[in-house]
Structures are given as C-alpha cells and as structure tokens.
Amino acid sequence: MNRIIIDNAFQALASYDPDRISSVLTEDAEWLSPPGNAVAVALGATHHMVGRQAIVHFFAQDFPRLFARDVTVTFHSFHADGEGAVVESTLTATLADGKHYSNDYCFVFELRDGLIHRVREYVDTARGLRMIVGEVSQQSPTQRAPA
C-alpha cells in the first residue's frame, strides 16, 4: 500500500498540476531538504516547506522554472514499514539553461491517513551546486549566504 501512495505522489509532483499535487498531501504537510541545497539556492526558496499550499506552490510553480524538461525519477530501492517509507532514487532532468542534471536522493516519508505528511530529503548538495550554479563554496551549506 505504501508503495502505491509514494508512486502516486511522485506522479503528482511530476505533473506540475496544483490540484493533483494537493491531493497527495495532508493540510499540515512538511518537506525538509538540506539547508543550502542547490535547488533552494538557485530559486531563492526555503529548504523547509511547511503546509500543503507551500509545497504545492513549489512543485507547481518554482520547480519547473529550474527543471525545464525531461524530468525523470528512477527508483533504486523502496523500504516500507507501517506509516513510513524510505526511497532511494536518482533525479535526472534538463535544466532551464540547457545543462544536464543528475543527482541521487534518499527520501524518508511519513504517511498519515494515506497521504504524505512529512518528507525528509537527503541529497548530495555539493554535486547539485556544481551542476546548477557551477561552483561549490568552501563554506558548509548552513553557512552559505542566501542567493
């Protein structure tokens, strides 16, 4: 069951359709990414989205501004237990500037009543920064100044 919920969620996120994205999230959903991650830096976005509306806005409006086309998520492993799931995957895409993006992710999902309640995202921030902004600061991601 968890696998179906997560598969549906990824399909909804990839649709850029606000109603479809909204339908897989609890009202008080949260999405936590590493501070200083490349996507947040490039878009001037937060790494901690709180509430369904914030997450829907990000995936329907902001995400497509950076990941322009050919967005593909390849699942490598899926582990589920109770109301949680851990997914290892690779995201590939063509960026708005035409460059190729490919990075590995680990998502930890907390579900509630068949909906996504909380996501903790883990990603190689240095690799993402190199691909998206072309450089990596010697400072830790939490020390980076906002873009």
Side-chain angles (χ1 to χ4, degrees):
M1 181 63 160
N2 288 355
R3 176 69 186 243
I4 294 169
I5 293 168
I6 303 301
D7 282 342
N8 288 342
F10 273 99
Q11 290 176 24
L13 296 171
S15 75
Y16 305 143
D17 178 331
D19 292 332
R20 196 165 167 201
I21 297 166
S22 181
S23 74
V24 300
L25 301 166
T26 64
E27 183 67 34
D28 59 344
E30 289 184 70
W31 193 292
L32 296 97
S33 301
N37 74 78
V39 175
V41 169
L43 294 173
T46 182
H47 72 280
H48 184 183
M49 295 177 280
V50 179
R52 179 188 290 151
Q53 285 185 310
I55 298 168
V56 168
H57 177 83
F58 175 80
F59 281 102
Q61 302 294 318
D62 295 333
F63 189 84
R65 289 190 298 125
L66 182 60
F67 298 100
R69 63 187 183 282
D70 309 318
V71 176
T72 303
V73 177
T74 303
F75 295 105
H76 302 296
S77 68
F78 183 93
H79 308 279
D81 184 27
E83 291 289 307
V86 176
V87 177
E88 292 178 291
S89 63
T90 299
L91 171 71
T92 59
T94 301
L95 299 173
D97 64 5
K99 291 190 280 186
H100 179 71
Y101 179 86
S102 177
N103 210 349
D104 297 320
Y105 289 77
C106 179
F107 298 98
V108 179
F109 290 92
E110 295 176 25
L111 307 174
R112 186 172 65 202
D113 300 325
L115 299 173
I116 305 297
H117 173 63
R118 191 167 204 227
V119 179
R120 290 185 313 278
E121 172 186 319
Y122 300 93
V123 62
D124 184 340
T125 56
R127 182 177 182 183
L129 286 165
R130 280 192 303 273
M131 284 184 278
I132 292 176
V133 299
E135 62 184 64
V136 178
S137 170
Q138 294 304 310
Q139 296 174 321
S140 72
T142 56
Q143 295 171 323
R144 290 183 62 85

